Structure formats: C-alpha cells, structure tokens
Amino acid sequence: DILSQTTELRDTLEDNTTYFRSKMTAAGFDIKPGTHPITPIMLYDAVLAQQMATKLLDEGIYVIGFFFPVVPKGQARIRVQISAAHTRAHLDRAIQAFTKIGKELGVLKA
C-alpha cells in the first residue's frame, strides 16, 4: 500500500545508491557496475577483505567481507547495502571511513 501511494522511498533509495556509487568510484574504489543498492567494493583478496571489514567496524561502519566459496576465487569484496533510511551524512561518513581505511591498507593511493 505504501509503495502504491508514493515513490518517495524508492526515489530516495535510487538517489542514495547513485550518490554512494559515484563518490566511492571517484575516491578510487573498484565497484562492479550497476544501479543496485547492494554495492560490491572489489578487493580481490580474501585477507584484505577481512582486514578492511574489521577496520571499518572500528570506524563504526558495519560491512561484511565476501570471499571464496561465497564468491569465485580472486573476487573477494566488501558488500555495502544502501537503504532509503540512510541520510547524506550517513553516506558521507561511510565514504570517509572507506577512504581512510582504503589508504591505510593500500587499496587507494595516498
């Protein structure tokens, strides 16, 4: 019933997804293309994905590293689930944390 009455939540989700994907790509992360709110941040290494997830949790960002056998060998990643409930401040905080940890772990150039 809610979805039939308004597209506000769907529109917000689409805006949040586009914003997060574009900012993370601009920061230098390798993101699988798409428009889906599940955003895969490609790291390609299982240990690196685990380390990044742990360090992001220390920054207050809860994400999960996915690696073999959940994804093919050599395709380890962090999956981020964007939601309509996220505010721009939430997204910016996550992007900032990803960028900080990405630089610390050598995923991004300093």
Side-chain angles (χ1 to χ4, degrees):
D1 288 340
I2 292 171
L3 290 175
S4 297
Q5 295 171 10
T6 179
T7 63
E8 182 181 358
L9 289 175
R10 189 174 55 228
D11 295 342
T12 300
L13 177 59
E14 185 177 338
D15 290 344
N16 285 350
T17 299
T18 300
Y19 179 81
F20 183 80
R21 283 176 169 270
S22 68
K23 292 293 185 179
M24 289 290 285
T25 300
F29 287 98
D30 182 9
I31 297 177
K32 288 226 177 232
T35 58
H36 198 280
I38 297 174
T39 306
I41 314 299
M42 301 304 295
L43 299 170
Y44 304 101
D45 179 86
V47 173
L48 181 59
Q50 291 170 325
Q51 290 172 336
M52 189 160 206
T54 298
K55 288 185 172 286
L56 283 165
L57 185 57
D58 292 342
E59 297 289 321
I61 307 298
Y62 179 66
V63 294
I64 301 290
F66 286 83
F67 42 88
F68 184 81
V70 178
V71 297
K73 282 186 181 180
Q75 295 294 307
R77 64 196 72 185
I78 299 284
R79 283 190 188 154
V80 178
Q81 175 66 53
I82 304 300
S83 118
H86 289 120
T87 64
R88 191 59 52 97
H90 292 141
L91 298 174
D92 286 340
R93 184 165 174 250
I95 294 161
Q96 180 182 13
F98 263 97
T99 301
K100 175 185 174 185
I101 301 306
K103 288 177 180 177
E104 282 181 20
L105 294 177
V107 174
L108 301 176
K109 294 179 181 172

